[in-house]
Amino acid sequence: MGTILAALANQFQALLARARDGDTDAIGWLALGVAALVWLMTRAAQALATLLSPAKPAEGLELAYPPLYTEGFPVVGNVAAFARNPLQLAKRAYAQLGDVFTLRVGPKRFTFLVGPRAHEVFFRANDDELDQGPVYGFSVPVFGRGVVYDAPLAIRLEQFRFVSTALRAARLREYVPLMVAEAETYFKRHWHGTDGTADLLKSLSELIILTASRCLMGREVREQLFEEVSTLYHQLDQGMQPLSVFAPHFPCKAHWQRDRARREMRRLFASIIANRRKRYQEIAAQAESVGQDPQQALEAAKEVDVLQVFMDSQYRDGSRLTDDQITGLLIAVLFAGQHTSTITGTWTGLLMLRKPELVTRVRAEQEQVLYDDDGCFKIDYDALLRLDVMHRCIKEALRMYPPLIFLMREVVIPRTYRDYVIPKGDIVVVSPPLAMSLPEVFADPDRYDPDRYAPPREEDKRVPFSHIGFGGGRHACMGEQFAYLQIKTIWSVILRDYDLEPVGPLPLPDYSAMVVGPKPPCLVRWRRRTP
Ligand code: HEM
C-alpha cells in the first residue's frame, strides 16, 4: 500500500511539474485526477454517513427495522463475504436470524425476505411501492435509453405489454416449428458421426442463440446477419460485468466495446426495419393494383417474429416505438432468455442423465406423445404441452439451480413484515436458490426429485410463491412458456437421436457470474441411436 501511495505521489509531482511548464495533457490529467478525488471523497462521506446512521426507525414508530447481520470486521466484513459468495452469506444470515434480515454491504442496505410467507411482501407489492428501475439500472447502457428500466414507469409498463403480446400462446404456436428446425439442424451439424463427447453448456448456448435470433430478431438476422449480430451480442454481454453494476460507465475496454456494439445494433435494426416497411408497401401497392385487398396481402406477407410485433405495437396515445426502442426491447428480451434458458436446459440434462430410470420414463412419454399412429415423430405446440414428466424434470432443475439468484426492488414506500418495517431506500431481495432449498417447503431439498410436483405431492402448490424460479406476481417471467417450449424441444430432439451418459462429477454452480450456471466443463458422451 505504501509503495502504491509513494508511486502515486511521484506521478502527481511529475504531472504538476509538466503542468507548470504549460503541458496541456498534464493539465488535463490533473483536472481529471482532482475530479475523481472529489467524487471518491463524496462517495466515501456518503458511505460513512449511511454506516453511522442508527438502524432504528423514526421516533414514534412502533415497529423495528429488521435485524442486522454482520460478519467479520464491522465495515468491510460483509463486503468481503458478499464479494466472495453472496448466496452463502445470505444463507448464513438466514440460519442465524430467520426469514427477514438486513445485510449492509458498503453504503447499501439489502433486506432479505426468505420463504413463501415473506415473499408475499415482495411479489404482491405494486411498482409505486417497490421499484425495479433503480436496481436494474445497470442494464441501461446495454438496453439503451428510454426503454425498460430507463423509461418512466407508465411507458415501461406499456413496453412490457408489447413483450407480453409477442410471447402470447398464439405467437408461441408459430415459434415452435422454428425451434424444432433449429434444434434438428444444429445437432445434425455438430453432433455428427456415431459417437463423441460434447460440452452441454456450450452446445445449448450456441443453439439457443440461433433459435433466439430466429424467433426474436427475425429471418433477416438469422439468414444473413447471424455472425455479425452474435458478435455484437457477445460484446454487449461482456459489457455487463459485476463492475458494471456499481459503475456502469467506468472507462474500460469492455464498456467502450459495449457502447459501440449498442450503436451498431441500432444501425443494423434501423436498416432491417426500413427494408421491411419498404417491402410491405410494395406488396400492398401491388395487391391494390390487381384489385386485391392491400391490408389482407400485407398481413399475409408479414414476418412471424418478435421484431414484427414490436414494429406493429402502439402506445396508448397512438405513437409507435422508435427504431432505437425496438432495438432496445429486442436486446432486453434476448438477455432475459439467453443465459437463463441455456443454463436451465443444461442443468436439466446434467441432472436427468444421472438418473437412468428417469430418462427411460421421459423417453416412454415421448414415444406416447410425439409419435403419431404411423410412427412419425412430430413436435408441435400442443404435444410439447403434454410432456409432463419432462416438464417436471426442467422445473426441478430450475428449483435446485435457478440462474437468477437475487431478485431485487428498491423500497419507495416502507413495507411491513411481521414486527418489522423495511424503510424507504432499502433494497429488498428475494433469493430463489435460498428459498427453494428450504426443507419445510420442499422435502429433502438436495435431492433431484421431479415427482415432487406430481399429484398427490404437488409440493409447489401448497402455498403461493414456493417455486419462484420464474419469479412471481406482477413481474413474473414473461418468457416462462417460451423457455419450457424451447428446452423441451431441444431435449426431445436429443433423446430421440442420441443415447447419452454424463462424464465426471456434477459441476458446481459458478457464483462469480451475473447469471449463475454450472462451471464448465459440462461434458456428456453421446452415441447416435439406430432408428
Ligand atoms: C429458464 C429460463 C428463464 C428463467 C429461469 C427466467 C427467470 C426470470 C425471473 C426470475 C424473472 C423475474 C425477475 C424479477 O422479478 O426481478 C424474469 C423476468 C422476465 N423474463 Fe424470464 N426467465 C427465463 C426465460 C425467459 C425468456 C426465454 C424470456 C423471453 C423470451 C424471458 C423474458 C422475461 C421478461 C420480459 C421478464 C420481465 C418481466 C417483468 O418485469 O414484468 N425470460 N425471468
Side-chain angles (χ1 to χ4, degrees):
M1 187 70 174
T3 327
I4 296 172
L5 284 177
L8 282 176
N10 283 342
Q11 282 290 333
F12 179 72
Q13 276 175 354
L15 276 177
L16 212 56
R18 280 169 52 200
R20 268 199 224 104
D21 294 341
D23 181 337
T24 48
D25 268 3
I27 295 172
W29 281 112
L30 275 175
L32 199 67
V34 170
L37 202 65
V38 170
W39 182 82
L40 262 176
M41 284 168 67
T42 317
R43 296 308 293 247
Q46 282 169 348
L48 203 64
T50 317
L51 286 171
L52 296 179
S53 67
K56 276 198 218 118
E59 283 292 307
L61 258 181
E62 304 256 317
L63 302 171
Y65 285 172
L68 272 177
Y69 181 79
T70 311
E71 258 180 22
F73 291 110
V75 177
V76 289
N78 279 355
V79 179
F82 194 87
R84 256 197 319 275
N85 189 330
L87 180 60
Q88 285 308 328
L89 176 66
K91 281 186 174 174
R92 289 193 294 273
Y94 170 74
Q96 196 180 99
L97 296 174
D99 64 353
V100 53
F101 56 87
T102 301
L103 287 177
R104 268 188 174 152
V105 183
K108 290 276 178 213
R109 286 170 49 95
F110 293 90
T111 294
F112 282 71
L113 293 161
V114 186
R117 189 177 154 215
H119 292 165
E120 302 248 347
V121 177
F122 187 94
F123 290 124
R124 294 213 192 276
N126 65 39
D127 295 295
D128 297 322
E129 294 162 340
L130 298 182
D131 191 4
Q132 291 180 304
V135 287
Y136 297 144
F138 63 86
S139 62
V140 172
V142 175
F143 300 169
R145 308 296 310 192
V147 273
V148 199
Y149 302 115
D150 188 54
L153 185 59
I155 301 285
R156 196 193 309 164
L157 295 180
E158 287 209 63
Q159 293 175 349
F160 278 142
R161 181 167 56 80
F162 305 150
V163 176
S164 116
T165 306
L167 298 172
R168 271 208 195 119
R171 290 272 158 186
L172 296 177
R173 198 174 276 282
E174 297 185 288
Y175 301 150
V176 169
L178 308 175
M179 294 176 181
V180 177
E182 290 294 347
E184 298 206 317
T185 313
Y186 180 87
F187 290 110
K188 226 172 258 159
R189 185 170 301 160
H190 296 273
W191 292 19
H192 58 85
T194 52
D195 54 23
T197 304
D199 189 310
L200 264 187
L201 188 68
K202 182 170 174 289
S203 294
L204 264 55
S205 168
E206 288 169 357
L207 168 56
I208 284 173
I209 190 143
L210 285 165
T211 313
S213 57
R214 179 62 190 88
C215 299
L216 309 179
M217 300 187 155
R219 196 175 41 76
E220 301 90 327
V221 167
R222 178 65 189 87
E223 288 174 5
Q224 296 144 32
L225 298 161
F226 178 70
E227 297 303 327
E228 202 175 335
V229 169
S230 62
T231 305
L232 294 176
Y233 167 75
H234 182 69
Q235 289 172 348
L236 288 172
D237 196 35
Q238 288 303 303
M240 223 191 243
Q241 310 276 346
L243 165 75
S244 326
V245 176
F246 299 100
H249 297 289
F250 186 82
C252 63
K253 194 170 164 209
H255 288 166
W256 292 327
Q257 275 192 341
R258 169 199 69 193
D259 296 343
R260 209 172 317 121
R262 179 63 182 75
R263 285 195 296 275
E264 196 47 33
M265 277 280 200
R266 176 203 171 127
R267 191 196 58 75
L268 204 134
F269 276 102
S271 141
I272 294 173
I273 293 166
N275 284 339
R276 274 196 189 183
R277 290 205 171 116
K278 185 161 165 269
R279 185 156 53 86
Y280 294 159
Q281 267 174 5
E282 286 165 4
I283 288 168
Q286 204 190 357
E288 205 164 14
S289 72
V290 294
Q292 288 171 353
D293 180 354
Q295 197 54 35
Q296 221 173 12
L298 187 65
E299 287 307 319
K302 275 189 180 169
E303 298 285 343
V304 175
D305 48 44
V306 174
L307 168 61
Q308 190 60 47
V309 176
F310 291 163
M311 284 173 63
D312 291 342
S313 295
Q314 264 184 319
Y315 289 109
R316 285 190 213 289
D317 68 2
S319 66
R320 289 187 184 274
L321 287 159
T322 63
D323 291 356
D324 192 49
Q325 288 174 339
I326 292 178
T327 310
L329 276 189
L330 281 174
I331 296 173
V333 177
L334 186 67
F335 266 73
Q338 173 66 22
H339 289 308
T340 48
S341 303
T342 300
I343 287 167
T344 304
T346 302
W347 281 119
T348 302
L350 293 173
L351 292 159
M352 182 172 66
L353 295 175
R354 281 171 171 79
K355 296 212 164 213
E357 78 289 353
L358 206 52
V359 177
T360 309
R361 282 174 56 204
V362 170
R363 278 223 172 97
E365 175 182 72
Q366 191 165 328
E367 307 228 323
Q368 208 188 345
V369 175
L370 299 181
Y371 286 86
D372 63 17
D373 295 342
D374 303 326
C376 287
F377 180 85
K378 185 166 186 300
I379 299 179
D380 61 25
Y381 176 80
D382 295 305
L384 289 175
L385 292 192
R386 283 187 281 130
L387 292 177
D388 294 331
V389 181
M390 173 125 44
H391 191 93
R392 296 198 285 265
C393 289
I394 299 168
K395 187 168 191 166
E396 179 66 342
L398 181 60
R399 180 190 68 80
M400 293 182 77
Y401 298 105
L404 302 182
I405 63 167
F406 293 142
L407 313 181
M408 297 186 281
R409 313 276 186 265
E410 188 174 292
V411 178
V412 181
I413 299 174
R415 314 308 306 147
T416 54
Y417 176 61
R418 296 206 279 118
D419 297 335
Y420 301 112
V421 61
I422 308 168
K424 181 172 160 46
D426 265 25
I427 310 288
V428 268
V429 187
V430 156
S431 170
L434 173 50
M436 294 195 291
S437 63
L438 299 178
E440 58 275 26
V441 183
F442 294 105
D444 198 0
D446 296 335
R447 205 171 113 87
Y448 180 65
D449 179 10
D451 290 334
R452 67 172 80 242
Y453 307 110
R457 290 168 63 192
E458 296 183 306
E459 292 179 5
D460 56 322
K461 299 219 173 108
R462 289 185 297 213
V463 276
F465 309 122
S466 302
H467 192 297
I468 53 163
F470 285 106
R474 67 186 58 235
H475 289 294
C477 177
M478 287 179 189
E480 173 171 350
Q481 250 217 317
F482 186 103
Y484 270 118
L485 291 169
Q486 181 162 34
I487 298 170
K488 283 179 178 177
T489 299
I490 293 172
W491 278 105
S492 297
V493 171
I494 296 182
L495 291 175
R496 178 194 63 185
D497 293 342
Y498 305 94
D499 285 320
L500 297 110
E501 56 182 279
V503 177
L506 186 70
L508 293 170
D510 177 7
Y511 288 112
S512 67
M514 294 272 286
V515 185
V516 174
K519 267 189 197 153
C522 304
L523 298 180
V524 290
R525 208 165 288 125
W526 56 264
R527 179 178 295 278
R528 182 170 283 281
R529 303 178 89 201
T530 42

mmCIF file of all heavy atoms in Angstrom, residues 384-410:
data_model
loop_
_atom_site.group_PDB
_atom_site.id
_atom_site.type_symbol
_atom_site.label_atom_id
_atom_site.label_comp_id
_atom_site.label_asym_id
_atom_site.label_seq_id
_atom_site.Cartn_x
_atom_site.Cartn_y
_atom_site.Cartn_z
ATOM 1 N N LEU A 384 -45.966 -30.530 -27.073
ATOM 2 C CA LEU A 384 -44.982 -30.121 -26.048
ATOM 3 C C LEU A 384 -45.669 -29.856 -24.708
ATOM 4 O O LEU A 384 -45.128 -30.171 -23.648
ATOM 5 C CB LEU A 384 -44.213 -28.884 -26.506
ATOM 6 C CG LEU A 384 -43.212 -29.097 -27.654
ATOM 7 C CD1 LEU A 384 -42.608 -27.774 -28.088
ATOM 8 C CD2 LEU A 384 -42.102 -30.064 -27.262
ATOM 9 N N LEU A 385 -46.873 -29.301 -24.770
ATOM 10 C CA LEU A 385 -47.593 -29.020 -23.511
ATOM 11 C C LEU A 385 -47.944 -30.312 -22.770
ATOM 12 O O LEU A 385 -48.176 -30.286 -21.563
ATOM 13 C CB LEU A 385 -48.877 -28.239 -23.787
ATOM 14 C CG LEU A 385 -48.745 -26.807 -24.282
ATOM 15 C CD1 LEU A 385 -50.099 -26.107 -24.209
ATOM 16 C CD2 LEU A 385 -47.727 -26.007 -23.496
ATOM 17 N N ARG A 386 -48.000 -31.432 -23.517
ATOM 18 C CA ARG A 386 -48.387 -32.694 -22.856
ATOM 19 C C ARG A 386 -47.189 -33.478 -22.318
ATOM 20 O O ARG A 386 -47.354 -34.563 -21.778
ATOM 21 C CB ARG A 386 -49.211 -33.539 -23.837
ATOM 22 C CG ARG A 386 -50.645 -33.014 -23.946
ATOM 23 C CD ARG A 386 -51.525 -33.918 -24.780
ATOM 24 N NE ARG A 386 -51.297 -33.701 -26.195
ATOM 25 C CZ ARG A 386 -51.059 -34.649 -27.096
ATOM 26 N NH1 ARG A 386 -51.001 -35.908 -26.724
ATOM 27 N NH2 ARG A 386 -50.872 -34.353 -28.364
ATOM 28 N N LEU A 387 -45.977 -32.950 -22.464
ATOM 29 C CA LEU A 387 -44.795 -33.661 -21.938
ATOM 30 C C LEU A 387 -44.630 -33.361 -20.445
ATOM 31 O O LEU A 387 -43.773 -32.571 -20.041
ATOM 32 C CB LEU A 387 -43.538 -33.240 -22.719
ATOM 33 C CG LEU A 387 -43.468 -33.670 -24.181
ATOM 34 C CD1 LEU A 387 -42.202 -33.117 -24.836
ATOM 35 C CD2 LEU A 387 -43.491 -35.202 -24.307
ATOM 36 N N ASP A 388 -45.458 -34.018 -19.624
ATOM 37 C CA ASP A 388 -45.480 -33.675 -18.191
ATOM 38 C C ASP A 388 -44.229 -34.114 -17.442
ATOM 39 O O ASP A 388 -43.732 -33.399 -16.576
ATOM 40 C CB ASP A 388 -46.705 -34.322 -17.522
ATOM 41 C CG ASP A 388 -47.991 -33.737 -18.038
ATOM 42 O OD1 ASP A 388 -47.971 -32.560 -18.443
ATOM 43 O OD2 ASP A 388 -49.011 -34.460 -18.066
ATOM 44 N N VAL A 389 -43.752 -35.326 -17.738
ATOM 45 C CA VAL A 389 -42.577 -35.813 -16.998
ATOM 46 C C VAL A 389 -41.383 -34.905 -17.306
ATOM 47 O O VAL A 389 -40.651 -34.474 -16.404
ATOM 48 C CB VAL A 389 -42.242 -37.285 -17.377
ATOM 49 C CG1 VAL A 389 -41.044 -37.781 -16.580
ATOM 50 C CG2 VAL A 389 -43.442 -38.185 -17.134
ATOM 51 N N MET A 390 -41.221 -34.602 -18.587
ATOM 52 C CA MET A 390 -40.108 -33.712 -18.963
ATOM 53 C C MET A 390 -40.287 -32.330 -18.313
ATOM 54 O O MET A 390 -39.323 -31.726 -17.844
ATOM 55 C CB MET A 390 -40.063 -33.571 -20.480
ATOM 56 C CG MET A 390 -39.068 -32.560 -20.899
ATOM 57 S SD MET A 390 -37.806 -32.975 -22.039
ATOM 58 C CE MET A 390 -38.442 -33.898 -23.325
ATOM 59 N N HIS A 391 -41.522 -31.855 -18.255
ATOM 60 C CA HIS A 391 -41.802 -30.547 -17.637
ATOM 61 C C HIS A 391 -41.300 -30.532 -16.186
ATOM 62 O O HIS A 391 -40.639 -29.598 -15.740
ATOM 63 C CB HIS A 391 -43.305 -30.276 -17.678
ATOM 64 C CG HIS A 391 -43.671 -28.874 -17.319
ATOM 65 N ND1 HIS A 391 -43.833 -27.888 -18.251
ATOM 66 C CD2 HIS A 391 -43.888 -28.292 -16.098
ATOM 67 C CE1 HIS A 391 -44.136 -26.756 -17.644
ATOM 68 N NE2 HIS A 391 -44.180 -26.974 -16.334
ATOM 69 N N ARG A 392 -41.607 -31.623 -15.485
ATOM 70 C CA ARG A 392 -41.212 -31.682 -14.073
ATOM 71 C C ARG A 392 -39.689 -31.792 -13.930
ATOM 72 O O ARG A 392 -39.123 -31.281 -12.965
ATOM 73 C CB ARG A 392 -41.926 -32.857 -13.391
ATOM 74 C CG ARG A 392 -43.444 -32.666 -13.376
ATOM 75 C CD ARG A 392 -44.119 -33.555 -12.364
ATOM 76 N NE ARG A 392 -44.200 -34.938 -12.781
ATOM 77 C CZ ARG A 392 -45.252 -35.483 -13.393
ATOM 78 N NH1 ARG A 392 -46.325 -34.745 -13.669
ATOM 79 N NH2 ARG A 392 -45.258 -36.752 -13.721
ATOM 80 N N CYS A 393 -39.044 -32.469 -14.884
ATOM 81 C CA CYS A 393 -37.573 -32.564 -14.841
ATOM 82 C C CYS A 393 -36.949 -31.165 -14.970
ATOM 83 O O CYS A 393 -35.969 -30.835 -14.292
ATOM 84 C CB CYS A 393 -37.048 -33.435 -15.991
ATOM 85 S SG CYS A 393 -37.429 -35.161 -15.773
ATOM 86 N N ILE A 394 -37.521 -30.350 -15.840
ATOM 87 C CA ILE A 394 -36.986 -28.987 -16.045
ATOM 88 C C ILE A 394 -37.264 -28.132 -14.801
ATOM 89 O O ILE A 394 -36.387 -27.435 -14.287
ATOM 90 C CB ILE A 394 -37.626 -28.336 -17.300
ATOM 91 C CG1 ILE A 394 -37.304 -29.166 -18.546
ATOM 92 C CG2 ILE A 394 -37.154 -26.900 -17.467
ATOM 93 C CD1 ILE A 394 -38.115 -28.780 -19.788
ATOM 94 N N LYS A 395 -38.488 -28.253 -14.309
ATOM 95 C CA LYS A 395 -38.892 -27.445 -13.149
ATOM 96 C C LYS A 395 -38.006 -27.751 -11.928
ATOM 97 O O LYS A 395 -37.634 -26.852 -11.168
ATOM 98 C CB LYS A 395 -40.356 -27.759 -12.826
ATOM 99 C CG LYS A 395 -40.955 -26.897 -11.766
ATOM 100 C CD LYS A 395 -42.450 -27.065 -11.723
ATOM 101 C CE LYS A 395 -43.052 -26.003 -10.840
ATOM 102 N NZ LYS A 395 -44.480 -25.870 -10.987
ATOM 103 N N GLU A 396 -37.668 -29.042 -11.796
ATOM 104 C CA GLU A 396 -36.859 -29.444 -10.649
ATOM 105 C C GLU A 396 -35.407 -28.976 -10.801
ATOM 106 O O GLU A 396 -34.771 -28.578 -9.819
ATOM 107 C CB GLU A 396 -36.946 -30.972 -10.485
ATOM 108 C CG GLU A 396 -36.146 -31.557 -9.350
ATOM 109 C CD GLU A 396 -36.618 -31.159 -7.947
ATOM 110 O OE1 GLU A 396 -37.347 -30.170 -7.803
ATOM 111 O OE2 GLU A 396 -36.209 -31.842 -6.981
ATOM 112 N N ALA A 397 -34.896 -28.990 -12.036
ATOM 113 C CA ALA A 397 -33.536 -28.473 -12.268
ATOM 114 C C ALA A 397 -33.509 -26.985 -11.925
ATOM 115 O O ALA A 397 -32.565 -26.488 -11.296
ATOM 116 C CB ALA A 397 -33.141 -28.690 -13.725
ATOM 117 N N LEU A 398 -34.577 -26.286 -12.304
ATOM 118 C CA LEU A 398 -34.656 -24.848 -12.017
ATOM 119 C C LEU A 398 -34.771 -24.584 -10.511
ATOM 120 O O LEU A 398 -34.228 -23.612 -10.002
ATOM 121 C CB LEU A 398 -35.858 -24.255 -12.762
ATOM 122 C CG LEU A 398 -36.104 -22.763 -12.602
ATOM 123 C CD1 LEU A 398 -34.911 -21.953 -13.085
ATOM 124 C CD2 LEU A 398 -37.346 -22.334 -13.368
ATOM 125 N N ARG A 399 -35.463 -25.467 -9.808
ATOM 126 C CA ARG A 399 -35.562 -25.290 -8.345
ATOM 127 C C ARG A 399 -34.183 -25.407 -7.698
ATOM 128 O O ARG A 399 -33.807 -24.604 -6.852
ATOM 129 C CB ARG A 399 -36.497 -26.342 -7.727
ATOM 130 C CG ARG A 399 -36.637 -26.189 -6.202
ATOM 131 C CD ARG A 399 -37.354 -27.347 -5.555
ATOM 132 N NE ARG A 399 -36.591 -28.586 -5.596
ATOM 133 C CZ ARG A 399 -35.600 -28.904 -4.771
ATOM 134 N NH1 ARG A 399 -35.229 -28.059 -3.821
ATOM 135 N NH2 ARG A 399 -34.969 -30.054 -4.895
ATOM 136 N N MET A 400 -33.431 -26.413 -8.114
ATOM 137 C CA MET A 400 -32.151 -26.648 -7.448
ATOM 138 C C MET A 400 -31.080 -25.646 -7.872
ATOM 139 O O MET A 400 -30.226 -25.273 -7.089
ATOM 140 C CB MET A 400 -31.662 -28.068 -7.741
ATOM 141 C CG MET A 400 -32.552 -29.113 -7.120
ATOM 142 S SD MET A 400 -31.949 -30.770 -7.398
ATOM 143 C CE MET A 400 -30.620 -30.873 -6.209
ATOM 144 N N TYR A 401 -31.139 -25.225 -9.134
ATOM 145 C CA TYR A 401 -30.097 -24.323 -9.650
ATOM 146 C C TYR A 401 -30.694 -23.152 -10.433
ATOM 147 O O TYR A 401 -30.476 -23.028 -11.635
ATOM 148 C CB TYR A 401 -29.132 -25.113 -10.547
ATOM 149 C CG TYR A 401 -28.413 -26.207 -9.808
ATOM 150 C CD1 TYR A 401 -28.770 -27.544 -9.979
ATOM 151 C CD2 TYR A 401 -27.387 -25.902 -8.918
ATOM 152 C CE1 TYR A 401 -28.115 -28.548 -9.284
ATOM 153 C CE2 TYR A 401 -26.725 -26.902 -8.220
ATOM 154 C CZ TYR A 401 -27.105 -28.216 -8.400
ATOM 155 O OH TYR A 401 -26.454 -29.195 -7.712
ATOM 156 N N PRO A 402 -31.459 -22.286 -9.763
ATOM 157 C CA PRO A 402 -32.024 -21.149 -10.508
ATOM 158 C C PRO A 402 -30.906 -20.202 -10.947
ATOM 159 O O PRO A 402 -30.039 -19.862 -10.141
ATOM 160 C CB PRO A 402 -32.944 -20.477 -9.480
ATOM 161 C CG PRO A 402 -32.421 -20.902 -8.158
ATOM 162 C CD PRO A 402 -31.778 -22.239 -8.323
ATOM 163 N N PRO A 403 -30.927 -19.772 -12.209
ATOM 164 C CA PRO A 403 -29.834 -18.916 -12.686
ATOM 165 C C PRO A 403 -29.856 -17.501 -12.101
ATOM 166 O O PRO A 403 -28.815 -16.861 -11.999
ATOM 167 C CB PRO A 403 -30.033 -18.866 -14.203
ATOM 168 C CG PRO A 403 -31.415 -19.372 -14.454
ATOM 169 C CD PRO A 403 -31.833 -20.197 -13.288
ATOM 170 N N LEU A 404 -31.052 -17.010 -11.728
ATOM 171 C CA LEU A 404 -31.104 -15.667 -11.124
ATOM 172 C C LEU A 404 -31.174 -15.848 -9.616
ATOM 173 O O LEU A 404 -32.188 -16.318 -9.095
ATOM 174 C CB LEU A 404 -32.324 -14.888 -11.638
ATOM 175 C CG LEU A 404 -32.375 -14.711 -13.159
ATOM 176 C CD1 LEU A 404 -33.586 -13.885 -13.576
ATOM 177 C CD2 LEU A 404 -31.106 -14.066 -13.695
ATOM 178 N N ILE A 405 -30.079 -15.498 -8.942
ATOM 179 C CA ILE A 405 -30.013 -15.851 -7.519
ATOM 180 C C ILE A 405 -30.576 -14.764 -6.606
ATOM 181 O O ILE A 405 -30.923 -15.042 -5.468
ATOM 182 C CB ILE A 405 -28.587 -16.266 -7.085
ATOM 183 C CG1 ILE A 405 -27.597 -15.121 -7.253
ATOM 184 C CG2 ILE A 405 -28.132 -17.503 -7.836
ATOM 185 C CD1 ILE A 405 -26.283 -15.400 -6.538
ATOM 186 N N PHE A 406 -30.653 -13.542 -7.112
ATOM 187 C CA PHE A 406 -31.262 -12.471 -6.318
ATOM 188 C C PHE A 406 -32.235 -11.662 -7.186
ATOM 189 O O PHE A 406 -31.833 -11.131 -8.220
ATOM 190 C CB PHE A 406 -30.201 -11.484 -5.794
ATOM 191 C CG PHE A 406 -29.250 -12.080 -4.776
ATOM 192 C CD1 PHE A 406 -27.914 -11.729 -4.771
ATOM 193 C CD2 PHE A 406 -29.692 -12.972 -3.820
ATOM 194 C CE1 PHE A 406 -27.024 -12.273 -3.835
ATOM 195 C CE2 PHE A 406 -28.818 -13.514 -2.881
ATOM 196 C CZ PHE A 406 -27.477 -13.164 -2.886
ATOM 197 N N LEU A 407 -33.487 -11.564 -6.760
ATOM 198 C CA LEU A 407 -34.428 -10.659 -7.417
ATOM 199 C C LEU A 407 -34.541 -9.447 -6.493
ATOM 200 O O LEU A 407 -34.658 -9.615 -5.273
ATOM 201 C CB LEU A 407 -35.792 -11.322 -7.591
ATOM 202 C CG LEU A 407 -35.792 -12.744 -8.164
ATOM 203 C CD1 LEU A 407 -37.215 -13.270 -8.294
ATOM 204 C CD2 LEU A 407 -35.076 -12.789 -9.500
ATOM 205 N N MET A 408 -34.487 -8.258 -7.083
ATOM 206 C CA MET A 408 -34.381 -7.069 -6.214
ATOM 207 C C MET A 408 -35.354 -5.952 -6.596
ATOM 208 O O MET A 408 -35.748 -5.844 -7.748
ATOM 209 C CB MET A 408 -32.946 -6.535 -6.289
ATOM 210 C CG MET A 408 -31.924 -7.520 -5.761
ATOM 211 S SD MET A 408 -30.281 -6.833 -5.691
ATOM 212 C CE MET A 408 -29.772 -6.951 -7.374
ATOM 213 N N ARG A 409 -35.699 -5.150 -5.608
ATOM 214 C CA ARG A 409 -36.506 -3.940 -5.822
ATOM 215 C C ARG A 409 -36.033 -2.912 -4.799
ATOM 216 O O ARG A 409 -35.593 -3.281 -3.702
ATOM 217 C CB ARG A 409 -38.001 -4.183 -5.522
ATOM 218 C CG ARG A 409 -38.636 -5.425 -6.105
ATOM 219 C CD ARG A 409 -39.084 -5.213 -7.538
ATOM 220 N NE ARG A 409 -39.815 -6.363 -8.027
ATOM 221 C CZ ARG A 409 -39.278 -7.372 -8.726
ATOM 222 N NH1 ARG A 409 -37.980 -7.380 -8.995
ATOM 223 N NH2 ARG A 409 -40.029 -8.375 -9.150
ATOM 224 N N GLU A 410 -36.193 -1.612 -5.149
ATOM 225 C CA GLU A 410 -35.900 -0.574 -4.151
ATOM 226 C C GLU A 410 -37.198 -0.160 -3.471
ATOM 227 O O GLU A 410 -38.229 0.027 -4.137
ATOM 228 C CB GLU A 410 -35.237 0.636 -4.819
ATOM 229 C CG GLU A 410 -34.745 1.635 -3.792
ATOM 230 C CD GLU A 410 -33.958 2.774 -4.428
ATOM 231 O OE1 GLU A 410 -32.858 2.529 -4.929
ATOM 232 O OE2 GLU A 410 -34.480 3.903 -4.402
#
